Amino acid sequence: MKFGRRAFLQFAAGAVGGTLLSPLPWKLVDDASIWSQNWSWRPSPERGPVTRKASVCTLCDGGCGIQVRLVNKNRAISVEGNPRHPVNEGGICPLGAAGAQFLYAPYRISQPMKQSKKRGDATGFKPISWDEAVGELQKKLSNLRKAETPHTVAAITGHAHNSMQDLWQQFFTAYGSQNLFTMPSHRDSLQGAGLLALGREAPFAFDLEHASFILSFGADLVEGWGSPGRMQTLFGKWNASEAEGAAVKLVQVASRCSMTAAKADRWIPVRPGSEAALALGMAHVMVKEKLYDASFMQDHVFGFEDWTDTRGKPRQGFKSFLMAAENSLEAASQQTGLEAPRIVDLAREFAAQNHAVAVWGGSGGNLPENTYHDLVFFALNVLKGNLKPGGMLSLAATVPLGELPQIRGDETARKGLAQKSADQIGDEKPSLTGRNLYAFLSLVAQAPPYPIEILMIHEANPAYGLAGKQTFEKAVERVGWMVSFSSYMDETALLADIILPNHAALERLDDVIGLPGSPLAYYAVAAPVLPPRLNTRHTGDVLLQLARSMGGSVGEALPWKSHEEFLQERVKGLAAAEGGAVFEESPSDWGKVKVGSTPHRNYTDGAGLWKKLSAGHCWYDAPRDPLQEIRSASGKIELAFQTLDSKGWAVEKDELYLPRFALQAPSGDPKEYPLLLLPYRMSSLSYGYHPNPPFMTKTVWDFVLKGKESFVELHPGTAQSMGLKEGDRIILKTPGGEATVRVHLFPGARPEAVYMPLGLGRKGYDAYIGGKGANVNSLLDVQGDPLSGQGIAWSARAQLKRLG
Amino acid sequence: MNDEKNNGSGKRIVGGVIFVAGFIIALIFGWVVFPNLLYSQRPQPMEFSHAAHQDSTCEDCHFFRDDGTYSGIPRIEKCKECHESPMGQTEDERILVEEFIQQDREIPWRIYSWQPDNVYFSHAPHKVKGVECVVCHRDVSKEEKLPPYKENRLTGYSINTMKMDVCEKCHAEQGANNNCGVCHK
Amino acid sequence: MSEQGHKQGAVRFGMVIDLDKCTGCMACSVACQAENNISFREDESNKLRSISWMEVFYLDNDQDYANYQYTYLPRPCMHCDAPHHAPCTFVCPVNATTRDEENGIVGHIYPRCIGCRYCIVACPYHARDFNWWDPAWPEPMEAMLNPEVSPRMRGVVEKCTFCHHRLLKARAKAFLEEQDLYEVTYMPACGEACPTKAISFGNLNDAESQVAKLAKDPRAFRLLSKLNTEPKVYYLSKHEWVRKQGDKHFQNSNGNKRG
């Protein structure tokens, strides 16, 4: 039989019928639709149990408790605030919340690298082994000791509030060099102020937990001043609704309507840089109207009345200085641009409040301020009697950690230490405290007193973060060999000859000493949350390895087998010391810790304390009575700084001994540069060592950053007078440099100023970070502080030119 | 005429046979051949016998964690509790100890009731409402060997992946919430 | 049936954001991104294309220098409680977005979404974003993806879910611990992160809950309440100029800037 067309159709009809009664078509349609919903290239998150590991954040010095959410205990998916931690009570800042993005950043350095081409050539880095890298550094360091020139080794560390700083110090002293520097911070000038006023090189601390009236002189309290976690938590409490409790009044003095100003109960707009003039004007009113704490001034203050210096010369005291013409109400009014009655009202309001405190620190405590101004704000608090027990101001309490071993120091070390640090050479005035990084860099760049053979950089990014154009780059050109310990391929690591990458923050054991701005003694251990992901090594371990292999007195001074053992030894010392406890109460009890309270000790030995600390708890102790902490020559709070005499200053004018308004005008001809450029901070822009993670960049306004261009803020009136509109492209020129930016009209901008955000304009990293906007640091003007000599970079003169 | 008629009816019968043949072949293809073609059999990384673990309870390995999530298939640390060193001479025992436990590697089991990323399923309410495991899963209590894992060639899903209509039907019958958000994330 | 005409369960999850406490730090937005696997691109400055569940708006008082004031306004999805439908659920042709009447949360099922974007047009709060591109994470960052939330794909819409997966997890726990399921509360990632505790979250129907109390605060207002969308997100502000702008459309770049 022939299988004809007809038969085929009959067969096909049967087949169709059969198929329809089988699952085939329905299953195919169903599966095809599922298939169409599968996006194989879309990542599928690994599943597994979710756990939390508590630790302490080390992305800044704020000491916040965190807990990291882990999947399968090996992937960090997010960082949360630790609700049991008293500093942040479960809250977290955007940088901390995005912290895991640093762990998994594409720009992490995966292993030791050596530059094989010209410095700064990103393509020149060739991987080398840890043995080679550490061996090469050790050989170079040993050779310099053999040549009896250990002082030609320098280091810059970004850590000033943890034990790594002490480890560096120990290493440098044993090795024989004074050239150890930290990145500039407000602590630098505050320590100088503490030394002059109280004889103590310690920063001031503020009992904001118990204040009822906070007068902030340009302190960006909510943008991240002091410990950002503490300040945000406090701000929430200050603004508690009536049902929740009494409200605290915040008054912000600033030239720009910053977030703090906008959020304050009152914003007092003043001329840029004139905050200290207002404080002096208020002091003038308080003295004139006898609104100050007279008995406190009499009992505890030296130099309020006229005084006699050590050579027997009579000197003017602060009281009569305040009555001088230069400190008249009119002068303050002129300097600040405020009407005199407003200054009088503010002074009366401040004086009338029971728990009023003046705080300051315009750059969020991240840059040194003019030391005289630090002392003016301090003096205003003294007039208020704020250093009395239960007062609002004290010195940050010290943490009695275990002492480091005595350094025997061999002949080579003694020779090296006999050489002054490079920043101290050629300076007529002896420095008050610490080292001066700007002076060091500019001397190295211009006329180095001796060559710097090795420069080591640890957790710092001076190539990006220091003010002034190419301050760091120029110095590096004269440096023999540069070592970076950075975990990131940042601007500074790029200039290095060799990179020995550190672990990322969440992979690393570290500690936090002190809570910036808080009077309580505070210590925390940041336990690693995850094992290191890459072939990195803790810089502390590298330092210990170097010391061990160098042996001799250097090895003896750093006897610990590992950085972990070093920290455990320190904690053992803390456990052995008097006082203090691990905070295990409800976070709301933190505010009850006051001068004189004795925390209930809840550990018996170092191991027990270590265990609690590495589980995310913190150690604390009650604040000290500031009057008991005074170590000045007079035994009193000194408002006339006779310490200057003992430091070898030959002071002529009386006023130079006193807290005074000493604004340093930035360089440049005001006619050529009619505007004042001021940097500002946003909590959604990270401007320090850590670059802005993509999560945070996503939240940046499109009038701050658009594509690759950043904006400067200009008052609408100023813009109009210059014929500029929103979004116009301009060249912003300062004596230090220039940048192409766009204009954003901002009614909160002072008409004579132009404001630029910190944290933009990074180079390198990856496409999510590099090349976005302009770096304001490179445009700023660096000046030496009249007292401390520290570099201050608060502004620059600027001109704007329209493009196209 | 007759001839033609006979011829016609014969043709019809033949035609019917051809139709039925097509029908039956298609049914066989659709019901028997096609499902085998649609699924590929994938081996498990190693053999596992539930029957050999009769000395432990189900909850020893399949338990609820403190946060209310379900452990599902145990992780290697669970296996390690007993199998730190080999408990027998079999090849699978060797694989377990040498390739997974000693290297601290998770066993990449293929999961029979695997659900895609956008599905949220919690065992907790089902357990509390008294749904027996075997309502959705095979009875493993006496199982000596793992059944073959069959993967749909089109979708990549397991043959045992429960479809949404099954979930919905039961939820409707039991009066449980049937909103999308109950099962999707 | 409630007075509003739709079947309502005993639980209506809602949020109160205290703008007097909010410092615009953006931690809520960052925590939301980490929690919900929100994708990011090299350039996120085109805000019309940027995906942000917890978007933050900028409001100012239109005054000059010394009297100038501004505030940031974090905006999650409002999970509108209007009768029968939220604006978005009403227009969805494929039922990809629905409101769970047992808790008031408006959800969105990504594989079901056909990307027509009607819901984006319908939403008066700009709470919805479209995936114009395949989400892509730079190589090692895929390790950060949260398995409790499914990543989306190109061509679908997404929005804030009130961290609905946290509710599911909390309920699973409550089931096992035999708690009353109507008492189950949880905190979305944004509220958990907020360092000033400006964000409260809970059951608006529970008169004893903090949100229910705060929602009756004299400072309380809702966005565009005149549209009768019945948002379940309340804001608090002591400033009248802020409260007034709650009922103003986001229309110009001067008074209201979209961040």
Side-chain angles (χ1 to χ4, degrees), chain A residues 257-590:
Chain A
C257 188
S258 64
M259 188 40 109
T260 306
K263 285 287 157 187
D265 295 281
R266 209 179 326 145
W267 168 40
I268 299 181
V270 295
R271 291 226 166 88
S274 71
E275 289 87 354
L278 175 61
L280 270 185
M282 288 174 62
H284 169 91
V285 174
M286 285 169 74
V287 168
K288 195 172 173 189
E289 303 190 0
K290 298 203 166 33
L291 297 173
Y292 61 95
D293 191 331
S295 65
F296 179 76
M297 299 306 281
Q298 192 172 355
D299 297 345
H300 300 290
V301 181
F302 166 87
F304 185 54
E305 306 293 342
D306 293 350
W307 59 291
T308 317
D309 73 11
T310 42
R311 285 155 290 168
K313 194 174 169 196
R315 298 284 194 178
Q316 187 183 32
F318 188 53
K319 191 161 107 183
S320 47
F321 174 63
L322 283 174
M323 290 301 119
E326 58 190 290
N327 290 318
S328 66
L329 197 52
E330 290 67 40
S333 167
Q334 211 160 38
Q335 282 150 348
T336 58
L338 281 178
E339 288 153 17
R342 281 195 79 181
I343 302 176
V344 174
D345 288 347
L346 190 62
R348 287 176 184 161
E349 190 177 1
F350 181 73
Q353 289 281 340
N354 268 337
H355 299 287
V357 61
V359 297
W360 67 97
S363 57
N366 286 279
L367 284 175
E369 300 259 318
N370 185 314
T371 310
Y372 274 123
H373 293 181
D374 283 335
L375 288 159
V376 166
F377 301 125
F378 171 75
L380 189 64
N381 280 304
V382 173
L383 286 175
K384 186 81 188 86
N386 265 343
L387 277 86
K388 279 192 293 206
M392 298 289 108
L393 191 141
S394 57
L395 286 173
T398 47
V399 180
L401 287 167
E403 291 288 326
L404 301 187
Q406 279 287 320
I407 299 166
R408 186 166 51 93
D410 57 7
E411 190 53 32
T412 313
R414 268 194 292 279
K415 270 189 191 163
L417 292 173
Q419 294 276 349
K420 276 188 176 181
S421 63
D423 61 313
Q424 303 292 319
I425 293 167
D427 195 0
E428 316 95 57
K429 278 180 289 186
S431 111
L432 278 178
T433 57
R435 301 270 174 273
N436 186 339
L437 180 59
Y438 280 110
F440 168 73
L441 291 174
S442 71
L443 267 165
V444 171
Q446 290 157 19
Y450 43 78
I452 295 297
E453 297 292 353
I454 300 179
L455 175 62
M456 295 185 272
I457 314 281
H458 167 238
E459 295 286 304
N461 186 3
Y464 170 79
L466 289 182
K469 202 167 179 68
Q470 295 191 317
T471 311
F472 181 74
E473 286 92 326
K474 279 182 197 152
V476 168
E477 282 171 21
R478 299 275 202 123
V479 166
W481 205 58
M482 190 172 121
V483 187
S484 166
F485 292 97
S486 183
S487 195
Y488 311 144
M489 194 50 99
D490 54 43
E491 290 90 339
T492 307
L494 203 57
L495 294 172
D497 295 296
I498 193 164
I499 307 174
L500 283 71
N502 202 349
H503 301 321
L506 295 174
E507 304 168 335
R508 193 169 71 208
L509 178 70
D510 259 323
D511 62 354
V512 182
I513 307 173
L515 201 57
S518 166
L520 271 68
Y522 176 90
Y523 183 77
V525 167
V529 169
L530 282 173
R533 192 169 66 82
L534 303 166
N535 185 14
T536 52
R537 203 174 273 187
H538 198 299
T539 305
D541 286 327
V542 175
L543 278 184
L544 293 176
Q545 195 186 342
L546 287 170
R548 232 182 351 261
S549 55
M550 268 186 263
S553 57
V554 182
E556 275 170 36
L558 291 92
W560 310 279
K561 277 196 224 57
S562 65
H563 174 256
E564 182 173 2
E565 192 193 292
F566 160 65
L567 283 191
Q568 283 171 344
E569 281 298 317
R570 302 212 86 187
V571 168
K572 216 182 264 177
L574 182 63
E578 286 274 309
V582 170
F583 192 83
E584 287 174 324
E585 293 91 326
S586 153
S588 56
D589 290 341
W590 186 248

Side-chain angles (χ1 to χ4, degrees), chain A residues 69 75 255 263 698 707 772, chain C residues 19 35 39 42 45 51 143:
Chain A
R69 206 141 40 115
R75 280 197 305 120
S255 79
K263 285 287 157 187
K698 194 169 196 153
K772 289 184 189 286
Chain C
L19 298 180
E35 176 77 15
S39 67
E42 289 172 13
S45 61
I51 299 174

